[in-house]
Amino acid sequence: MAVRAVRGAVQLERDEAGHMEEQVGALLTAVLERNELHTDDLISIWFTATPDLHCDFPAAAARKLGIVDVPLICAQELDIEGAMPRVVRLLAHIESDRPRADVAHVYLGAAAALRKDIAQ
């Protein structure tokens, strides 16, 4: 079993806790489904949010999905002029037999424009 990293992102329409929970939940669910993962396969997840998001911690959405025994951390993205607003990104470390080239990185909605090279 190898340790792999999975990237993902979603752009929120508004800075609202319920909306963040819904969108981050959808992102996490898609990462798990597209990589055929269970929560036991998760090692840790790093979340970042752009500086314009203040409503809640992205990790709170993971906890509400039942991801309760996995280390989670949140950080703020760099405030770069012209960057896409209201974006939550994740970097999940997983255990998987899947080759690195077959890891499905998930960029939902408008966030797909962030990484056209790896978005699936």
Side-chain angles (χ1 to χ4, degrees):
M1 189 79 56
V3 174
R4 301 285 183 226
V6 183
R7 292 286 316 268
V10 64
Q11 183 183 39
L12 278 60
E13 294 175 14
R14 58 195 175 279
D15 185 20
E16 180 181 285
H19 181 61
M20 179 179 284
E21 179 182 333
E22 173 187 300
Q23 294 300 305
V24 174
L27 176 61
L28 283 166
T29 299
V31 165
L32 293 171
E33 288 176 356
R34 293 183 193 177
N35 288 287
E36 300 175 353
L37 298 170
H38 302 282
T39 56
D40 286 347
D41 301 319
L42 296 171
I43 297 169
S44 64
I45 305 174
W46 282 77
F47 292 95
T48 64
T50 51
D52 51 2
L53 292 173
H54 307 277
C55 62
D56 203 356
F57 295 100
R63 298 290 184 223
K64 289 182 180 174
L65 279 179
I67 301 173
V68 296
D69 62 349
V70 175
L72 308 175
I73 193 164
C74 298
Q76 187 177 80
E77 280 287 330
L78 296 173
D79 191 8
I80 304 298
E81 187 174 329
M84 184 179 287
R86 300 177 315 282
V87 175
V88 174
R89 292 173 173 85
L90 69 76
L91 174 63
H93 298 97
I94 63 169
E95 292 181 329
S96 176
D97 288 327
R98 188 178 288 244
R100 182 178 297 159
D102 293 343
V103 171
H105 304 283
V106 180
Y107 290 78
L108 299 180
L114 295 170
R115 290 299 306 263
K116 292 178 184 178
D117 58 326
I118 63 172
Q120 298 178 354

